Amino acid sequence: MPTDDLPVDDLLEERLGNALHRAGNGFDPDRRSLAAKGEARGRLLRSRRRIALTGSVAGLALVGVGGALLMPRTDDGRAPAATSTSKIRTEKHSRGMSAADMIRALERTLPKGTFSDEAGRPSDDPLGPYAYAVHDDGHGKAAVSVAVNLVDPASPQAVEAVTCPDRSAAGYDACHTSTLGDGSRLMIFQGYEYPDRRADTKYWYAQLLTPTGRQVNVSEWNAAAEKGSPVTRPEPPLSPAGLKRVATAAVWRKAAEGLPKPRDTSDPTTTWRTPADGEAVLDTLVSLLPADVTVASRGDDDQEYAWVIVDDGEGRSLVQINVQPNMGDVEGQLFGGAETLPDGTEVVTKKAPGEKGGSGVEMWTADTIRPDGLRVVVSAFNADRQDAAATRPAPALTLSELRAIATSAKWRSLS
């Protein structure tokens, strides 16, 4: 069935799922599996941060922080926070596609079947166009998502996202790259949600990068959710050929219309900074913690992200941080109305409910961006994990303490 020129369905009003990132893109890795997440997972999350920031303004990208990148989904596999409203926006857009269009396009590119738990974002959403659905082709339910972005095709992140990771470090079944007739690069990855294979959930995705910088990510699982849902079928519904067909569908060109033009990293006036090492981020975070807390547990991703469990004598509290260079292109999207410090750093602080479904969980966040594009976002929770009930009235760190950590000059030396 053709996928070009899909009609705008102004009457489509699907109820949305619970908070995902989204993005991320986003991007809040399960701390218990950080050690098992290999190079493949890290690469995908990093590539997703511009595809899916988390739904909250102060959300962590790539984790989610936010949300990714990752990755317009949360670690519990539910629909993204950015669309966590009662109804999808259905107004017409002069460019690109509406949320309803994105959902309909995803459904039309998938095999025949039934759909549930749809969620979407329009082309003009600051977090970027995205669609998610639980698809059942008669052989079992499967979560499927698509995210579209514009990137500098010459940037290290864009190139890395379509390069197969080292198999010795990533635990996957297959990974193939190819160059298409129009010069686009395509990677098909067939792996597992947990590289340590503690669950049988398979995670397959296609990553497309066109010469003009259009980036399309199609992800699928052999379960109705990324995590916390039993396997429903031996494999995800799309074969490698099917992933290629969906990722290369012409309809995603329209989805990319109106997206902000990415920074040109080939421009000699552009300073492209190397992502910070995760271990260095962790060590710096620990050095900036208040003196009245002790570190009960700690960990980091291979780049940019780290977490600690702290205790101030009144209970354990999760603190997570993401340090991302080259993020100047999200400044206008996420930092409108922010406080501006004398050195040009923009700061947003926020208190919001947790994004993983834990009863009573509060997420307090300080989100900052420097004039050179360095973004530091740090969050604290009133529990030691987001998907469990709160264990204390408030996080162990105050907003002022989080703000002091995020604005520290120490972060400048890491990238």
Side-chain angles (χ1 to χ4, degrees):
M1 179 177 294
T3 57
D4 298 282
D5 301 322
L6 294 176
V8 176
D9 187 352
D10 288 332
L11 298 179
L12 179 62
E13 295 183 345
E14 302 288 351
R15 293 196 61 82
L16 305 177
N18 293 323
L20 226 182
H21 251 139
R22 106 345 74 358
N25 79 152
F27 173 41
D28 175 18
D30 177 355
R31 61 182 179 83
R32 293 185 175 182
S33 66
L34 281 173
K37 289 184 177 180
E39 184 180 352
R41 184 64 165 170
R43 286 185 173 192
L44 177 63
L45 290 174
R46 292 196 297 278
S47 73
R48 278 186 176 169
R49 73 176 171 170
R50 296 174 189 270
I51 297 177
L53 304 179
T54 53
S56 63
V57 167
L60 301 180
L62 273 183
V63 228
V65 196
L69 19 195
L70 81 178
M71 200 203 264
R73 54 194 173 92
T74 60
D75 281 339
D76 56 8
R78 292 175 293 175
T83 55
S84 185
T85 59
S86 61
K87 295 181 180 181
I88 295 172
R89 291 193 299 166
T90 57
E91 68 273 17
K92 293 184 179 181
H93 299 266
S94 58
R95 299 187 67 185
M97 298 167 64
S98 70
D101 290 334
M102 287 294 298
I103 294 170
R104 185 60 56 84
L106 176 62
E107 291 179 352
R108 290 180 63 179
T109 56
L110 294 176
K112 290 182 179 180
T114 61
F115 299 91
S116 59
D117 296 331
E118 297 96 334
R121 289 195 301 257
S123 295
D124 64 355
D125 191 290
L127 305 180
Y130 166 75
Y132 170 93
V134 175
H135 173 242
D136 190 343
D137 59 1
H139 301 286
K141 292 184 176 182
V144 185
S145 70
V146 62
V148 184
N149 192 30
L150 281 180
V151 299
D152 174 6
S155 69
Q157 282 87 345
V159 173
E160 186 181 41
V162 288
T163 303
C164 286
D166 182 353
R167 193 162 190 166
S168 64
Y172 56 85
D173 289 337
C175 183
H176 303 283
T177 61
S178 60
T179 300
L180 308 183
D182 64 354
S184 297
R185 298 181 61 181
L186 177 70
M187 182 178 74
I188 305 292
F189 180 92
Q190 296 172 271
Y192 297 84
E193 181 57 37
Y194 298 99
D196 63 0
R197 303 288 298 277
R198 67 178 184 269
D200 292 328
T201 308
K202 291 185 178 181
Y203 172 43
W204 295 3
Y205 70 89
Q207 186 85 1
L208 176 74
L209 176 66
T210 72
T212 58
R214 188 173 71 257
Q215 190 178 56
V216 180
N217 177 276
V218 180
S219 297
E220 59 172 348
W221 294 262
N222 61 333
E226 172 190 356
K227 295 182 196 259
S229 183
V231 167
T232 56
R233 49 191 298 145
E235 295 182 344
L238 296 171
S239 66
L243 282 169
K244 176 181 178 180
R245 177 180 53 79
V246 177
T248 57
V251 67
W252 309 130
R253 297 175 188 169
K254 185 176 181 181
E257 291 179 5
L259 286 171
K261 184 178 180 181
R263 184 196 332 236
D264 181 4
T265 56
S266 64
D267 185 338
T269 64
T270 297
T271 300
W272 189 267
R273 299 185 181 276
T274 303
D277 175 74
E279 185 176 356
V281 171
L282 175 60
D283 290 342
T284 303
L285 171 62
V286 171
S287 74
L288 294 171
L289 291 172
D292 61 347
V293 301
T294 58
V295 177
S297 186
R298 53 189 277 173
D300 64 89
D301 206 351
D302 58 347
Q303 285 187 3
E304 303 180 338
Y305 175 78
W307 59 269
V308 292
I309 305 296
V310 300
D311 196 329
D312 58 357
E314 299 183 11
R316 290 155 62 96
S317 177
L318 169 64
V319 179
Q320 62 184 20
I321 190 166
N322 205 41
V323 181
Q324 296 174 302
N326 317 310
M327 293 294 288
D329 52 354
V330 305
E331 182 175 358
Q333 301 167 0
L334 300 182
F335 289 86
E339 173 192 4
T340 302
L341 304 184
D343 66 354
T345 298
E346 295 185 71
V347 183
V348 172
T349 57
K350 184 177 182 179
K351 295 182 180 181
E355 298 178 336
K356 296 300 183 72
S359 176
V361 172
E362 290 289 320
M363 177 180 181
W364 294 7
T365 302
D367 198 351
T368 66
I369 192 164
R370 269 77 167 176
D372 63 358
L374 177 65
R375 185 183 184 202
V376 179
V377 54
V378 57
S379 294
F381 303 82
N382 58 337
D384 63 358
R385 50 187 289 183
Q386 289 197 63
D387 58 353
T391 55
R392 44 183 297 148
L397 272 61
T398 66
L399 279 180
S400 295
E401 290 169 333
L402 292 170
R403 184 180 184 278
I405 291 172
T407 58
S408 171
K410 288 186 176 183
W411 302 115
R412 296 184 184 277
S413 64
L414 296 189
S415 61

